[in-house]
Amino acid sequence: MGCCSSRQGSDDRHEWQTEDHKPPPTVFPSKPALPEDLFTNALHKGWLNYKKQRLWCIIHGQSFYLSDSPDDTEPRKFFSFEGCLVNLRGNLLEIQTADLLSSQSPSSKYQFRADTEEAAIEWYESCLRSSGNAKV
């Protein structure tokens, strides 16, 4: 049997190296546009601690945005509250996103620490309002 390049009539290349067997181009989803009023009409914004970082966080619509500072013009990360679980323990806010809930990842939640329990409660209530699960 042998390799495809050893077949009679081959041009010393594998089948996958020919023009006829080009892999399809990789298509990455485009980054969604930021809401025009993200910085002016946020439901909640302020500092939260994540791991060993202090991040500027914004809740707008059904999304949670993370930035390095309030002066950043574009957040470095965001996730949707759709399908999220939000828990509060003391001043620790835990958010499990829908995509993390379906994965086998051992670390399936974001854990943000507020400076005070009162601030954590405000963030928690804003997360619930944004996710549509508000019972506050």
Side-chain angles (χ1 to χ4, degrees):
M1 188 145 164
C3 178
C4 54
S5 64
S6 65
R7 293 185 190 143
Q8 190 175 19
S10 80
D11 59 358
D12 294 329
R13 291 190 295 173
H14 295 283
E15 288 175 354
W16 57 267
Q17 292 174 316
T18 66
E19 291 296 315
D20 297 340
H21 290 89
K22 271 187 161 180
T26 304
V27 178
F28 297 102
S30 61
K31 187 176 181 182
L34 292 175
E36 290 181 18
D37 62 346
L38 174 65
F39 301 103
T40 58
N41 195 25
L43 176 62
H44 198 101
K45 57 186 170 183
W47 293 104
L48 285 173
N49 300 303
Y50 178 71
K51 296 185 179 177
K52 294 184 179 185
Q53 303 172 46
R54 189 154 171 86
L55 298 174
W56 183 255
C57 302
I58 301 172
I59 296 175
H60 182 282
Q62 277 197 300
S63 298
F64 192 99
Y65 297 87
L66 307 168
S67 298
D68 291 318
S69 82
D71 299 327
D72 288 348
T73 57
E74 187 167 322
R76 67 176 177 165
K77 187 171 184 132
F78 79 96
F79 57 84
S80 171
F81 278 114
E82 188 175 332
C84 280
L85 296 177
V86 181
N87 295 306
L88 180 65
R89 291 185 301 155
N91 67 338
L92 185 66
L93 180 67
E94 295 179 342
I95 304 171
Q96 289 181 281
T97 62
D99 58 322
L100 289 174
L101 290 171
S102 65
S103 74
Q104 299 300 319
S105 171
S107 176
S108 62
K109 62 187 148 206
Y110 292 94
Q111 294 184 326
F112 299 99
R113 190 168 301 282
D115 292 335
T116 65
E117 284 190 31
E118 293 78 22
I121 290 170
E122 289 177 19
W123 278 101
Y124 176 72
E125 290 173 351
S126 295
C127 289
L128 292 181
R129 265 188 242 107
S130 182
S131 68
N133 294 323
K135 294 180 177 91
V136 289

